[in-house]
Amino acid sequence: MSDCILGLDISTSVIGISCVTDSGVIMITDSLVLPTPKYPTIWEKARVYEDFLCSKHTDFADNGLKIKSVFVEE
């Protein structure tokens, strides 16, 4: 298992995600688009994002990655 850093770029309509190893190698990048017409409330967006993160967690495990820290863009 390799330690990695999970980076999140969170806005109201798009959330970016990246996983970088300690040595700076980008292992996973992805994004989730949450258009307001389709997901009008923050609760609906949160539910979809939770499902998205759970699926990414599976991707991390399948690639032998262990999240050791999380950073969120300001």
Coordinates of all heavy atoms in Angstrom, one line a residue:
M1 N 0.8 -1.2 0.0 CA 0.0 0.0 0.0 C 0.9 1.2 0.0 O 1.8 1.3 0.7 CB -0.8 0.0 1.3 CG -2.2 -0.5 1.1 SD -3.6 0.5 1.5 CE -4.7 -0.5 0.6
S2 N 0.5 2.2 -0.8 CA 1.2 3.5 -0.9 C 0.4 4.6 -0.2 O -0.8 4.7 -0.5 CB 1.5 3.9 -2.3 OG 2.3 2.9 -3.0
D3 N 1.0 5.4 0.6 CA 0.3 6.6 1.2 C 0.1 7.6 0.1 O 0.9 7.8 -0.8 CB 1.2 7.2 2.3 CG 1.2 6.4 3.6 OD1 0.3 5.5 3.7 OD2 2.1 6.6 4.4
C4 N -1.0 8.3 0.2 CA -1.3 9.3 -0.8 C -2.0 10.5 -0.1 O -2.5 10.4 1.0 CB -2.1 8.8 -2.0 SG -3.8 8.5 -1.6
I5 N -2.0 11.6 -0.8 CA -2.6 12.8 -0.3 C -3.9 13.0 -1.2 O -3.7 13.0 -2.4 CB -1.7 14.0 -0.4 CG1 -0.4 13.8 0.4 CG2 -2.4 15.3 0.0 CD1 0.7 14.7 0.1
L6 N -5.0 13.2 -0.6 CA -6.2 13.5 -1.3 C -6.4 15.0 -1.4 O -6.5 15.7 -0.4 CB -7.4 12.8 -0.6 CG -8.8 13.1 -1.3 CD1 -8.9 12.5 -2.6 CD2 -9.9 12.5 -0.4
G7 N -6.5 15.5 -2.6 CA -6.8 16.9 -2.8 C -8.2 17.2 -3.4 O -8.6 16.5 -4.3
L8 N -8.9 18.1 -2.8 CA -10.3 18.5 -3.2 C -10.4 19.9 -3.6 O -9.8 20.8 -2.9 CB -11.2 18.2 -2.1 CG -11.3 16.8 -1.5 CD1 -12.2 16.7 -0.3 CD2 -11.7 15.8 -2.5
D9 N -11.0 20.2 -4.7 CA -11.3 21.5 -5.2 C -12.8 21.6 -5.3 O -13.5 21.0 -6.2 CB -10.7 21.7 -6.6 CG -11.0 23.1 -7.2 OD1 -11.7 23.9 -6.5 OD2 -10.5 23.4 -8.3
I10 N -13.4 22.3 -4.3 CA -14.8 22.2 -4.1 C -15.5 23.5 -4.5 O -15.1 24.6 -4.0 CB -15.2 21.9 -2.6 CG1 -14.5 20.5 -2.2 CG2 -16.7 21.9 -2.4 CD1 -14.6 20.2 -0.8
S11 N -16.5 23.5 -5.3 CA -17.3 24.7 -5.7 C -18.7 24.2 -5.6 O -19.0 23.1 -5.3 CB -16.9 25.2 -7.0 OG -17.4 24.4 -8.1
T12 N -19.7 25.1 -5.9 CA -21.1 24.7 -5.8 C -21.5 23.8 -7.0 O -22.5 23.1 -6.8 CB -22.0 26.0 -5.8 OG1 -21.7 26.8 -7.0 CG2 -21.7 26.8 -4.6
S13 N -20.8 23.8 -8.1 CA -21.3 23.0 -9.2 C -20.3 22.0 -9.7 O -20.7 21.1 -10.5 CB -21.7 23.9 -10.4 OG -20.6 24.6 -10.8
V14 N -19.1 22.0 -9.3 CA -18.1 21.1 -9.7 C -17.1 20.8 -8.5 O -16.7 21.7 -7.9 CB -17.2 21.5 -10.9 CG1 -16.2 20.5 -11.3 CG2 -18.1 21.9 -12.1
I15 N -16.8 19.5 -8.3 CA -15.9 19.1 -7.3 C -14.8 18.3 -8.0 O -15.0 17.3 -8.6 CB -16.5 18.3 -6.2 CG1 -17.6 19.2 -5.5 CG2 -15.5 17.9 -5.2 CD1 -18.5 18.4 -4.5
G16 N -13.5 18.8 -7.9 CA -12.4 18.1 -8.4 C -11.7 17.3 -7.3 O -11.7 17.7 -6.2
I17 N -11.1 16.2 -7.7 CA -10.5 15.3 -6.8 C -9.2 14.8 -7.4 O -9.1 14.5 -8.6 CB -11.4 14.1 -6.4 CG1 -10.8 13.1 -5.4 CG2 -11.9 13.4 -7.6 CD1 -11.7 12.0 -4.9
S18 N -8.1 14.7 -6.6 CA -6.9 14.2 -7.1 C -6.2 13.4 -5.9 O -6.4 13.7 -4.8 CB -6.0 15.2 -7.6 OG -5.6 16.1 -6.6
C19 N -5.5 12.4 -6.3 CA -4.7 11.6 -5.3 C -3.3 11.6 -5.8 O -3.0 11.2 -6.9 CB -5.3 10.2 -5.3 SG -4.4 9.2 -4.1
V20 N -2.4 12.1 -4.9 CA -1.0 12.3 -5.2 C -0.1 11.5 -4.2 O -0.4 11.6 -3.0 CB -0.6 13.8 -5.2 CG1 0.9 14.0 -5.6 CG2 -1.5 14.6 -6.2
T21 N 0.9 10.8 -4.7 CA 1.7 10.1 -3.7 C 2.7 11.0 -3.0 O 2.8 12.2 -3.5 CB 2.6 9.0 -4.4 OG1 3.5 9.6 -5.3 CG2 1.7 8.0 -5.1
D22 N 3.3 10.6 -2.0 CA 4.3 11.4 -1.3 C 5.4 11.9 -2.2 O 6.0 13.0 -2.0 CB 4.9 10.6 -0.1 CG 4.0 10.5 1.0 OD1 3.0 11.3 1.2 OD2 4.2 9.5 1.8
S23 N 5.7 11.1 -3.2 CA 6.8 11.5 -4.2 C 6.3 12.4 -5.3 O 7.0 12.8 -6.2 CB 7.4 10.3 -4.8 OG 6.5 9.5 -5.4
G24 N 5.0 12.8 -5.3 CA 4.4 13.7 -6.2 C 3.8 13.1 -7.5 O 3.5 13.8 -8.4
V25 N 3.7 11.8 -7.5 CA 3.1 11.1 -8.7 C 1.6 11.2 -8.6 O 1.0 10.8 -7.5 CB 3.6 9.7 -8.7 CG1 2.9 8.9 -9.9 CG2 5.1 9.6 -8.8
I26 N 1.0 11.7 -9.6 CA -0.5 11.8 -9.6 C -1.1 10.4 -10.0 O -0.8 9.9 -11.0 CB -1.0 12.8 -10.7 CG1 -0.4 14.2 -10.3 CG2 -2.5 12.8 -10.8 CD1 -0.7 15.3 -11.4
M27 N -1.8 9.9 -9.1 CA -2.4 8.5 -9.3 C -3.8 8.5 -9.8 O -4.2 7.7 -10.6 CB -2.3 7.8 -7.9 CG -0.9 7.6 -7.4 SD 0.2 6.7 -8.4 CE -0.5 5.1 -8.4
I28 N -4.6 9.4 -9.3 CA -6.0 9.5 -9.7 C -6.5 11.0 -9.8 O -6.2 11.7 -8.9 CB -6.9 8.8 -8.7 CG1 -6.6 7.3 -8.7 CG2 -8.4 9.0 -9.0 CD1 -7.4 6.5 -7.6
T29 N -7.1 11.3 -10.8 CA -7.8 12.6 -10.9 C -9.2 12.4 -11.5 O -9.4 11.5 -12.3 CB -7.1 13.6 -11.9 OG1 -7.0 13.1 -13.2 CG2 -5.7 13.9 -11.4
D30 N -10.1 13.2 -11.0 CA -11.5 13.0 -11.5 C -12.3 14.3 -11.1 O -11.8 15.1 -10.3 CB -12.2 11.8 -10.8 CG -13.3 11.2 -11.7 OD1 -13.8 11.9 -12.6 OD2 -13.7 10.1 -11.4
S31 N -13.5 14.4 -11.5 CA -14.3 15.5 -11.1 C -15.8 15.0 -11.1 O -16.1 14.1 -11.8 CB -14.2 16.7 -12.0 OG -14.5 16.4 -13.4
L32 N -16.6 15.8 -10.4 CA -18.0 15.5 -10.3 C -18.7 16.8 -10.6 O -18.5 17.8 -10.0 CB -18.4 15.0 -8.9 CG -19.8 14.8 -8.7 CD1 -20.4 13.6 -9.5 CD2 -20.1 14.4 -7.2
V33 N -19.6 16.8 -11.6 CA -20.4 18.0 -12.0 C -21.7 17.9 -11.3 O -22.4 16.8 -11.5 CB -20.5 18.1 -13.5 CG1 -21.4 19.3 -13.9 CG2 -19.1 18.2 -14.2
L34 N -22.1 18.9 -10.6 CA -23.4 18.9 -9.9 C -24.2 20.2 -10.3 O -24.3 21.1 -9.6 CB -23.1 19.0 -8.4 CG -22.3 17.8 -7.8 CD1 -21.7 18.2 -6.4 CD2 -23.2 16.6 -7.7
P35 N -24.8 20.1 -11.5 CA -25.6 21.3 -11.9 C -26.8 21.5 -11.0 O -27.5 20.6 -10.7 CB -26.0 20.9 -13.3 CG -26.0 19.4 -13.4 CD -24.9 19.0 -12.4
T36 N -27.0 22.8 -10.7 CA -28.1 23.1 -9.8 C -29.5 22.7 -10.3 O -30.3 22.2 -9.5 CB -28.1 24.6 -9.5 OG1 -26.9 24.9 -8.9 CG2 -29.2 25.1 -8.6
P37 N -29.8 22.8 -11.6 CA -31.1 22.3 -12.1 C -31.4 20.9 -11.8 O -32.5 20.5 -11.4 CB -31.1 22.6 -13.6 CG -30.1 23.7 -13.8 CD -29.1 23.4 -12.7
K38 N -30.3 20.0 -11.9 CA -30.5 18.6 -11.6 C -30.5 18.3 -10.1 O -31.2 17.4 -9.6 CB -29.4 17.8 -12.3 CG -29.6 16.3 -12.2 CD -28.6 15.6 -13.1 CE -28.8 14.1 -13.1 NZ -27.9 13.4 -13.9
Y39 N -29.7 19.0 -9.3 CA -29.5 18.9 -7.9 C -29.8 20.2 -7.2 O -28.8 20.9 -6.9 CB -28.1 18.4 -7.5 CG -27.7 17.1 -8.3 CD1 -26.8 17.2 -9.3 CD2 -28.3 15.9 -8.0 CE1 -26.5 16.0 -10.0 CE2 -28.0 14.7 -8.7 CZ -27.0 14.8 -9.7 OH -26.7 13.7 -10.4
P40 N -31.0 20.6 -7.0 CA -31.3 22.0 -6.6 C -31.0 22.3 -5.1 O -30.8 23.4 -4.8 CB -32.8 22.1 -6.8 CG -33.4 20.7 -6.9 CD -32.2 19.8 -7.3
T41 N -30.8 21.3 -4.3 CA -30.5 21.5 -2.9 C -29.1 21.0 -2.5 O -28.6 20.1 -3.1 CB -31.5 20.9 -1.9 OG1 -31.3 19.4 -1.9 CG2 -33.0 21.2 -2.3
I42 N -28.6 21.6 -1.5 CA -27.2 21.2 -1.0 C -27.3 19.8 -0.5 O -26.3 19.1 -0.6 CB -26.7 22.2 0.1 CG1 -25.2 22.0 0.4 CG2 -27.5 22.1 1.3 CD1 -24.3 22.4 -0.7
W43 N -28.4 19.4 0.0 CA -28.5 18.0 0.5 C -28.5 17.0 -0.6 O -27.9 15.9 -0.5 CB -29.8 17.9 1.3 CG -29.9 18.9 2.4 CD1 -30.7 19.9 2.5 CD2 -29.0 19.0 3.5 NE1 -30.4 20.7 3.6 CE2 -29.4 20.1 4.3 CE3 -27.9 18.2 4.0 CZ2 -28.7 20.5 5.5 CZ3 -27.3 18.6 5.1 CH2 -27.7 19.7 5.9
E44 N -29.1 17.3 -1.7 CA -29.0 16.4 -2.9 C -27.6 16.3 -3.4 O -27.1 15.2 -3.7 CB -30.0 16.8 -4.0 CG -31.4 16.6 -3.6 CD -32.4 17.3 -4.6 OE1 -32.4 18.5 -4.8 OE2 -33.1 16.5 -5.3
K45 N -26.9 17.5 -3.5 CA -25.5 17.5 -3.9 C -24.6 16.7 -3.0 O -23.8 15.9 -3.4 CB -25.0 18.9 -4.1 CG -25.7 19.6 -5.2 CD -25.2 21.1 -5.3 CE -25.8 21.8 -6.5 NZ -25.2 23.0 -6.8
A46 N -24.9 16.8 -1.7 CA -24.1 16.1 -0.7 C -24.3 14.6 -0.8 O -23.3 13.8 -0.7 CB -24.5 16.6 0.7
R47 N -25.5 14.2 -1.1 CA -25.7 12.7 -1.2 C -25.0 12.2 -2.4 O -24.4 11.1 -2.4 CB -27.2 12.5 -1.3 CG -27.6 11.0 -1.5 CD -29.1 10.8 -1.8 NE -29.6 11.7 -2.9 CZ -29.4 11.5 -4.2 NH1 -28.6 10.5 -4.6 NH2 -29.9 12.3 -5.1
V48 N -25.1 12.9 -3.5 CA -24.4 12.4 -4.8 C -22.9 12.5 -4.5 O -22.2 11.5 -4.9 CB -24.8 13.3 -5.9 CG1 -23.9 13.0 -7.2 CG2 -26.2 13.2 -6.3
Y49 N -22.4 13.5 -3.8 CA -20.9 13.6 -3.6 C -20.5 12.4 -2.7 O -19.4 11.9 -2.9 CB -20.6 14.9 -3.0 CG -19.1 15.1 -2.9 CD1 -18.2 15.0 -4.0 CD2 -18.5 15.4 -1.6 CE1 -16.9 15.1 -3.8 CE2 -17.1 15.5 -1.5 CZ -16.3 15.4 -2.6 OH -15.0 15.5 -2.5
E50 N -21.3 12.1 -1.7 CA -20.9 11.0 -0.8 C -20.8 9.7 -1.6 O -19.8 8.9 -1.4 CB -22.0 10.8 0.3 CG -21.7 9.7 1.2 CD -22.8 9.5 2.3 OE1 -24.0 10.0 2.1 OE2 -22.5 8.9 3.3
D51 N -21.7 9.4 -2.5 CA -21.7 8.2 -3.3 C -20.4 8.3 -4.2 O -19.7 7.3 -4.4 CB -22.9 8.1 -4.2 CG -24.2 7.8 -3.4 OD1 -24.1 7.4 -2.2 OD2 -25.3 8.1 -4.0
F52 N -20.1 9.4 -4.7 CA -18.9 9.6 -5.6 C -17.6 9.3 -4.8 O -16.8 8.6 -5.2 CB -18.9 11.0 -6.1 CG -17.7 11.4 -6.9 CD1 -17.5 10.9 -8.2 CD2 -16.7 12.2 -6.3 CE1 -16.4 11.3 -8.9 CE2 -15.6 12.6 -7.1 CZ -15.4 12.1 -8.4
L53 N -17.5 9.8 -3.6 CA -16.4 9.6 -2.7 C -16.2 8.1 -2.3 O -15.1 7.6 -2.3 CB -16.4 10.5 -1.5 CG -15.9 11.9 -1.6 CD1 -15.9 12.6 -0.3 CD2 -14.5 11.9 -2.3
C54 N -17.3 7.5 -2.1 CA -17.3 6.1 -1.7 C -16.8 5.2 -2.9 O -16.0 4.3 -2.7 CB -18.7 5.6 -1.3 SG -19.2 6.1 0.3
S55 N -17.2 5.6 -4.1 CA -16.7 4.9 -5.3 C -15.2 5.2 -5.5 O -14.4 4.3 -5.9 CB -17.5 5.2 -6.6 OG -17.2 6.5 -7.0
K56 N -14.8 6.4 -5.2 CA -13.3 6.7 -5.3 C -12.5 6.0 -4.3 O -11.4 5.5 -4.6 CB -13.1 8.2 -5.2 CG -13.6 9.0 -6.4 CD -12.8 8.7 -7.6 CE -13.7 8.3 -8.7 NZ -13.0 7.7 -9.9
H57 N -13.1 5.8 -3.1 CA -12.4 5.1 -2.1 C -12.1 3.6 -2.5 O -11.0 3.1 -2.3 CB -13.2 5.0 -0.8 CG -12.5 4.4 0.4 ND1 -12.6 3.1 0.7 CD2 -11.6 4.9 1.3 CE1 -11.9 2.8 1.7 NE2 -11.3 3.9 2.1
T58 N -13.0 3.0 -3.2 CA -12.8 1.7 -3.8 C -11.7 1.8 -4.9 O -10.8 0.9 -4.9 CB -14.1 1.2 -4.5 OG1 -15.1 1.1 -3.5 CG2 -13.9 -0.2 -5.1
D59 N -11.7 2.8 -5.7 CA -10.6 3.0 -6.7 C -9.2 3.1 -6.0 O -8.3 2.5 -6.4 CB -10.8 4.2 -7.5 CG -11.9 4.1 -8.5 OD1 -12.5 3.0 -8.7 OD2 -12.3 5.1 -9.1
F60 N -9.2 3.8 -4.9 CA -7.9 3.9 -4.1 C -7.5 2.6 -3.6 O -6.3 2.2 -3.8 CB -8.1 4.9 -2.9 CG -8.4 6.3 -3.3 CD1 -9.0 7.1 -2.4 CD2 -8.1 6.8 -4.5 CE1 -9.3 8.4 -2.7 CE2 -8.4 8.1 -4.9 CZ -9.0 9.0 -3.9
A61 N -8.3 1.8 -3.0 CA -8.0 0.5 -2.5 C -7.6 -0.4 -3.6 O -6.6 -1.2 -3.5 CB -9.2 -0.1 -1.7
D62 N -8.3 -0.4 -4.7 CA -7.9 -1.2 -5.9 C -6.5 -0.9 -6.4 O -5.9 -1.8 -7.0 CB -9.0 -1.1 -7.0 CG -10.3 -1.8 -6.6 OD1 -10.4 -2.5 -5.6 OD2 -11.3 -1.5 -7.3
N63 N -6.1 0.3 -6.3 CA -4.8 0.8 -6.8 C -3.7 0.7 -5.7 O -2.6 1.3 -5.9 CB -4.9 2.2 -7.4 CG -5.6 2.2 -8.7 OD1 -5.0 1.6 -9.7 ND2 -6.7 2.7 -8.8
G64 N -4.1 0.2 -4.5 CA -3.1 0.0 -3.4 C -2.8 1.4 -2.8 O -1.7 1.6 -2.3
L65 N -3.7 2.3 -2.8 CA -3.5 3.6 -2.2 C -4.2 3.8 -0.8 O -5.3 3.4 -0.7 CB -4.0 4.7 -3.2 CG -3.3 4.7 -4.5 CD1 -4.1 5.7 -5.5 CD2 -1.9 5.1 -4.4
K66 N -3.5 4.4 0.1 CA -4.1 4.7 1.4 C -4.0 6.2 1.6 O -2.9 6.8 1.6 CB -3.3 4.0 2.5 CG -3.8 4.2 3.9 CD -2.9 3.5 4.8 CE -3.1 4.1 6.2 NZ -2.0 3.7 7.1
I67 N -5.1 6.8 1.9 CA -5.2 8.3 2.1 C -4.6 8.6 3.5 O -5.1 8.1 4.5 CB -6.6 8.8 2.0 CG1 -7.1 8.6 0.6 CG2 -6.6 10.3 2.3 CD1 -8.6 8.8 0.5
K68 N -3.5 9.4 3.5 CA -2.9 9.7 4.8 C -3.3 11.2 5.2 O -3.2 11.5 6.4 CB -1.4 9.6 4.8 CG -0.6 10.6 4.0 CD 0.8 10.5 4.2 CE 1.6 11.7 3.8 NZ 2.9 11.7 4.1
S69 N -3.6 12.0 4.2 CA -4.1 13.4 4.6 C -5.0 13.9 3.4 O -4.9 13.4 2.3 CB -2.9 14.3 4.8 OG -2.0 14.3 3.7
V70 N -5.7 14.9 3.8 CA -6.7 15.5 2.9 C -6.4 17.0 2.8 O -6.3 17.7 3.9 CB -8.1 15.3 3.3 CG1 -9.1 16.0 2.3 CG2 -8.4 13.8 3.3
F71 N -6.4 17.6 1.6 CA -6.2 19.0 1.5 C -7.4 19.6 0.7 O -7.7 19.0 -0.3 CB -4.9 19.4 0.8 CG -3.7 19.2 1.7 CD1 -3.0 17.9 1.7 CD2 -3.3 20.1 2.5 CE1 -2.0 17.7 2.5 CE2 -2.2 19.9 3.4 CZ -1.5 18.7 3.3
V72 N -7.9 20.7 1.1 CA -9.0 21.4 0.4 C -8.5 22.7 -0.1 O -8.0 23.5 0.7 CB -10.2 21.5 1.3 CG1 -11.4 22.2 0.5 CG2 -10.7 20.1 1.8
E73 N -8.7 23.0 -1.4 CA -8.3 24.3 -1.9 C -9.1 25.4 -1.2 O -10.3 25.3 -0.9 CB -8.7 24.4 -3.4 CG -8.3 25.7 -4.0 CD -8.9 25.9 -5.4 OE1 -9.9 25.4 -5.7 OE2 -8.3 26.7 -6.1
E74 N -8.4 26.5 -1.0 CA -9.1 27.7 -0.3 C -10.1 28.3 -1.2 O -10.0 28.3 -2.4 CB -8.1 28.8 0.0 CG -7.2 28.4 1.2 CD -6.3 29.6 1.5 OE1 -6.7 30.7 1.4 OE2 -5.2 29.3 2.0

